[in-house]
Amino acid sequence: MSARALASVTVGDQLPTRTVHIDRATLVRYAGASLDRNPIHWDERFARSVGLPDVIAHGMFTMGAGGTVVGDWAGDAGRVVQYGTRFTKPVVVPHDTGADVVFSGAVTKVDAETGLVTVELRATCGEDKVLGRAVAVVHLD
């Protein structure tokens, strides 16, 4: 896959909407890869004992999924030079159904001189906005 061309990008361009399904197996794999084995991410009883409605996804997993959406749009994950967000709501992952996080985004700034493109992401799970101020900067040629 080749990187997106700067000349093809304009303010207001929409990133394709992508739904990422998260289930308990996803969380266990992410816990192993990230070494974040906090039981709120895999033990329902523990999660409820600390006041959560159920097991929740790792915030960094959700953030990373959003970063993947931007990297795929750019055509090269290495083009993402800056990315930050706030976690506004946890992604609750019920055992039987899992959870779907829907990502979308739009180009909000294009700097033709530097090649830097700013993308604002939206991430929702059901009615909840799960990432706030999710902004990525991509360098395109």
Side-chain angles (χ1 to χ4, degrees):
M1 178 185 283
S2 60
R4 183 175 295 274
L6 177 64
S8 70
V9 177
T10 59
V11 171
D13 285 356
Q14 300 292 308
L15 277 64
T17 299
R18 181 181 300 170
T19 300
V20 175
H21 183 74
I22 303 169
D23 59 20
R24 296 290 175 89
T26 306
L27 300 181
V28 170
R29 286 191 300 270
Y30 187 80
S34 68
L35 302 180
D36 180 353
R37 298 184 182 109
N38 188 325
I40 62 172
H41 302 300
W42 53 269
D43 184 332
E44 207 170 286
R45 187 170 36 190
F46 181 82
R48 289 188 172 147
S49 77
V50 297
L52 295 168
D54 205 326
V55 166
I56 61 170
H58 303 74
M60 293 304 288
F61 174 84
T62 307
M63 180 182 180
T68 298
V69 170
V70 175
D72 289 352
W73 173 81
D76 177 359
R79 298 289 180 152
V80 180
V81 296
Q82 183 179 342
Y83 177 41
T85 191
R86 292 182 11 202
F87 305 114
T88 56
K89 292 272 189 175
V91 175
V92 178
V93 183
H95 181 273
D96 294 337
T97 60
D100 289 329
V101 178
V102 179
F103 292 93
S104 59
V107 173
T108 58
K109 183 178 178 186
V110 176
D111 186 331
E113 196 168 304
T114 63
L116 297 177
V117 175
T118 303
V119 174
E120 290 188 15
L121 274 177
R122 290 179 294 280
T124 57
C125 184
E127 299 297 319
D128 294 329
K129 181 178 177 181
V130 296
L131 297 179
R133 295 187 186 175
V135 177
V137 177
V138 178
H139 183 261
L140 299 177
D141 296 323

